[in-house]
Amino acid sequence: MSREQLIKMTEHNIAHSKAGTIDMEPDVFKVPATKYYAQDQYEAEVEKIFKRVPLLLATTAELRNPGDYKAMEAVGVPVLINRDSKGKIHAFMNMCSHRGAALVELGCDNAKRFVCPYHAWTYNQNGDLIGISSKEDFGEIDKSEYGLVPLPVIERAGLIWVCLRPNSDIDFDAFLSGYDDLLANFGFETWHMHDQRTLRGPNWKVAYDGYLDLYHLPVLHSKTFGTEISNQALYYSWGPHQRVSSPSPFMIGLEDMPKDEWDTNLMMMGVWTVFPHVSIASFEGGGRSVMLSQLFPGKTPGESYTVQNYMMEHKPTPEQEVEADKQFTLLEYVVEKEDYATGLRLQKALETGHKDHVLFGRNEGGGQKFHSWVDRIIETADEDLNKLFAGSNQ
Ligand code: FES
Ligand SMILES: [Fe+2]
């Protein structure tokens, strides 16, 4: 099924590559500049987007073994994701039921049970409260009512999505819109997490715009990626998620081969974004690899941070590791010193209030769709959210 979709996209790419064309949006699109810095807009995005839709918070590579866990914060919410002894993934608030202490420090580790560092209440891997210290002194409570607060979670295609609202009835399948079937072609279940870095950036949408934008590549990145790179983009969408690829002469070469021999890895090239905050871009650096970038709004509208995850198809040999480190350092430089440095300056300029709107051209369909989705989700009531995603499936 997903291979058929890949072949269709590749044929579409070949047709455009031969004609030297791209798909064009009907019009140039305006985004009010205030959307990048107004406090009420920022709060609406945090509450209505980041706290309502599933977020891609972890990878199978980080939690491969029974007992593995990852503790993190997402828009201020402390999250604990773990794999139980049967291999099932759970997500909880990283918050003790006694008085709310964080159960574990931020980061990844392995534990059979979680013992709170404050007064040593103990929870099992299913989040059940299994031990109250000095129970006879504490007094009677019903332990079954004081398990950890669970968060909705799914693991698909070697990636883990969590919803930050405990009682959410979010329909993960409607939200993913079949996009997980496409992402499954990477085979992330068996990939290796090589390295992770965190970068500070401008407003999360300023930062995210850059991942959907190939228009800037040969200009802003002329000193790093070079000027020979295409600035043309083809966008494909599944619900709010978008894949970006460039019309490419490499694709034309595939025409000489029967379609069932077309290389899946070649057909997967480009950038795969996962709404609202993730980008997955393929690279070769010490072997097949991707940079999976997770963007999060910061404490103010003008701040964000990005966790760059460098994942590799295979654990690298020592020589490959040198290559991979070089590649990752270059990508860190490109994003921090070129993309985000530009973003931070434009953010400052927009915040003066002396600009009414910014523009996304007919060639920048990715940004047009992304901003439309941000608006639509903010305007959608809780009870209509699943319908919104279900109705958008192609
Ligand atoms: S807050 Fe965790 S045991 Fe008291
Ligand atoms: Fe860039």
Side-chain angles (χ1 to χ4, degrees):
M1 177 66 181
S2 70
R3 186 169 168 89
E4 273 168 36
Q5 289 189 52
L6 276 182
I7 287 174
K8 251 170 75 188
M9 282 187 275
T10 306
E11 288 172 335
H12 178 257
N13 187 306
I14 291 170
H16 277 300
S17 304
K18 283 173 148 175
T21 52
I22 50 170
D23 298 322
M24 308 270 280
E25 293 301 315
D27 284 306
V28 172
F29 183 87
K30 294 179 183 175
V31 173
T34 52
K35 299 237 168 160
Y36 290 107
Y37 61 85
Q39 184 68 25
D40 57 346
Q41 173 71 21
Y42 160 81
E43 284 168 13
E45 288 165 0
V46 169
E47 292 303 319
K48 304 251 160 124
I49 300 178
F50 280 83
K51 291 192 182 169
R52 287 201 303 175
V53 310
L55 302 177
L56 201 171
L57 293 189
T59 59
T60 301
E62 293 167 286
L63 295 141
R64 190 170 313 288
N65 302 309
D68 283 353
Y69 71 81
K70 175 179 182 178
M72 64 182 305
E73 269 186 27
V75 288
V77 179
V79 180
L80 169 61
I81 307 167
N82 74 310
R83 190 179 299 282
D84 69 23
S85 57
K86 297 197 179 90
K88 189 171 171 245
I89 281 286
H90 303 262
F92 305 103
M93 296 283 297
N94 183 14
M95 177 176 74
C96 179
S97 303
H98 175 215
R99 290 233 293 282
L103 279 187
V104 291
E105 294 295 324
L106 300 181
C108 292
D109 208 337
N110 185 284
K112 280 206 169 56
R113 53 180 60 90
F114 300 106
V115 182
C116 179
Y118 202 174
H119 315 88
W121 282 26
T122 304
Y123 303 84
N124 67 15
Q125 293 173 334
N126 299 323
D128 305 320
L129 175 62
I130 54 169
I132 296 177
S133 34
S134 304
K135 196 167 174 295
E136 51 298 336
D137 296 341
F138 188 80
E140 273 308 302
I141 58 160
D142 180 354
K143 278 214 295 258
S144 70
E145 286 178 11
Y146 289 93
L148 298 178
V149 175
L151 298 171
V153 61
I154 56 159
E155 183 173 31
R156 293 275 173 83
L159 302 167
I160 295 163
W161 281 264
V162 177
C163 183
L164 297 181
R165 245 191 212 181
N167 298 315
S168 167
D169 66 347
I170 193 78
D171 179 342
F172 284 99
D173 285 315
F175 170 73
L176 288 171
S177 308
Y179 194 52
D180 47 326
D181 283 349
L182 276 296
L183 294 174
N185 285 296
F186 280 109
F188 286 139
E189 289 88 345
T190 56
W191 283 43
H192 166 75
M193 180 63 75
H194 176 63
D195 202 358
Q196 294 170 308
R197 293 174 196 178
T198 300
L199 312 180
R200 303 273 146 205
N203 174 276
W204 73 277
K205 299 198 302 314
V206 170
Y208 203 59
D209 285 342
Y211 292 87
L212 285 160
D213 172 350
L214 305 191
Y215 187 32
H216 77 286
L217 292 184
V219 185
L220 185 60
H221 303 309
S222 61
K223 295 201 177 73
T224 42
F225 292 160
T227 52
E228 297 305 305
I229 194 164
S230 171
N231 74 349
Q232 290 190 309
L234 299 169
Y235 297 97
Y236 306 91
S237 54
W238 294 260
H241 315 292
Q242 300 190 66
R243 184 251 173 125
V244 195
S245 71
S246 262
S248 160
F250 288 118
M251 299 292 178
I252 299 176
L254 287 174
E255 276 199 315
D256 303 332
M257 262 187 252
K259 280 181 200 150
D260 53 9
E261 288 174 23
W262 287 6
D263 179 38
T264 305
N265 296 353
L266 185 58
M267 291 197 286
M268 289 290 288
M269 289 305 286
V271 177
W272 295 77
T273 67
V274 184
F275 188 88
H277 71 140
V278 164
S279 144
I280 303 171
S282 294
F283 292 97
E284 281 291 330
R288 190 169 177 229
S289 54
V290 299
M291 183 172 73
L292 188 153
S293 308
Q294 297 165 293
L295 280 69
F296 295 95
K299 288 204 168 72
T300 67
E303 296 170 282
S304 68
Y305 63 96
T306 300
V307 183
Q308 285 187 325
N309 301 272
Y310 198 76
M311 288 173 69
M312 306 187 69
E313 187 173 16
H314 304 291
K315 201 168 165 30
T317 62
E319 297 84 60
Q320 285 175 326
E321 201 164 335
V322 175
E323 278 308 298
D325 290 343
K326 245 205 290 190
Q327 175 73 18
F328 196 27
T329 299
L330 172 71
L331 292 172
E332 182 185 21
Y333 178 86
V334 166
V335 174
E336 192 170 39
K337 302 286 191 246
E338 296 180 341
D339 291 308
Y340 289 2
T342 301
L344 285 163
R345 286 199 298 270
L346 82 79
Q347 175 81 34
K348 225 171 162 181
L350 294 182
E351 285 176 5
T352 62
H354 298 320
K355 184 155 187 56
D356 179 65
H357 57 267
V358 302
L359 296 172
F360 288 83
R362 295 184 63 197
N363 58 338
E364 298 186 277
Q368 295 201 15
K369 286 201 195 75
F370 167 66
H371 287 276
S372 304
W373 269 103
V374 166
D375 289 346
R376 280 163 75 188
I377 294 173
I378 288 175
E379 286 158 14
T380 301
D382 286 358
E383 58 274 23
D384 297 327
L385 202 54
N386 285 332
K387 252 187 289 168
L388 175 71
F389 294 126
S392 70
N393 294 350
Q394 289 184 334

